[in-house]
Structure formats: C-alpha cells, structure tokens
Amino acid sequence: MSPDGSPRTIPVAVRDRAWSGASWCARILLALFFVPVGAAKVAGAQQAVDMFTQIGAGQWLRYVTGAVEIIGAVGLLVSPVAGLAALGLAATMIGATATHLFVLGGEPWTPLLLLVVSALVAWGCRHRSRALLGSMRHALAPQLADQGGKQA
C-alpha cells in the first residue's frame, strides 16, 4: 500500500520486462528438457522403445512424439512461433499425462508439470500467436478464395 492507503501498482514496463524474462527462462528450461528427451525417442533409446512397446500404439508414435518434442523445443526459442510451439508441447503433455495415468500406471507428475509450464508459456505468448495466425490467414485468403472459385 502506498502512504495514502491506495494499492500500489506495478508499472506496465516493469511487469512486461519481468514477464519477458520469466517467459524466456521457462522457454529455455523447456527446450533443455525436450531436446534430449525427444532425441532419445527418435534415436531409439531402449527405455523409449520399451515404453512405447508397453503403450501398444506402435513405434511410429515414438518417432512422431520425439519429432514433435524436438520441433517444439526449437520453436520455443523462436519468438514469433514460441506460443504455438508451447501449445503443441502442452497438447503432447496432455497425451503423456493421460498415458501415464491410464496405460503405464506410472506417476504423471513430470508430464503434468511440463503441461502446466508449457500452457503458461502459450498463454503468455497468446497475443503474438494470434497476430501470427491472423497474418497467415490474411496472407492465405486470396489463395483460398481462388481455390474456392475453381472448385465451384
């Protein structure tokens, strides 16, 4: 509280810098986690092969999951697409959490934590993600309109 009794507010510039710093820390930590984990899946580490055998969906899912994790980790470090990359990783962690709970029977805490952090990063980058998707839609609109006219 300020001396006059009114609540103190954090200046917008300070809040934005703090969020930006926290976001970058989270993005870097997520990337440092997902690159080696995804690479182990793609490379066929025995633990990953065994886990996906136990899941029963086929080894193709191991390759897809590993590729999504690597691409998502790299995307986290590219600011224009960081929010979409975090959203993709959060979706992947929803699947991982469900798999741990209902198929593997293991503790779901690691994928759940990664889901929460990825979702927070996606939420924090939502304005940039919306702008990117809007510009993509705007850029593709003439091409989509041409295709629609040719099909009719």
Side-chain angles (χ1 to χ4, degrees), residues 68-144:
V68 166
E69 290 174 347
I70 294 168
I71 292 167
V74 172
L76 288 170
L77 304 177
V78 180
S79 287
V81 297
L84 298 177
L87 192 60
L89 290 170
T92 303
M93 291 300 102
I94 289 171
T97 301
T99 300
H100 278 273
L101 284 172
F102 303 116
V103 179
L104 299 174
E107 294 291 331
W109 303 118
T110 300
L112 196 57
L113 175 65
L114 294 168
L115 165 61
V116 169
V117 175
S118 296
L120 286 171
V121 170
W123 180 81
C125 297
R126 70 192 180 284
H127 300 298
R128 185 175 283 148
S129 297
R130 281 188 194 142
L132 176 63
L133 292 173
S135 66
M136 289 172 59
R137 189 177 317 127
H138 180 72
L140 293 174
Q143 295 170 349
L144 294 174

Side-chain angles (χ1 to χ4, degrees), residues 37-45 48 62-68 70:
V37 169
K41 287 177 180 137
V42 171
R62 174 176 54 85
Y63 288 110
V64 170
T65 303
V68 166
I70 294 168

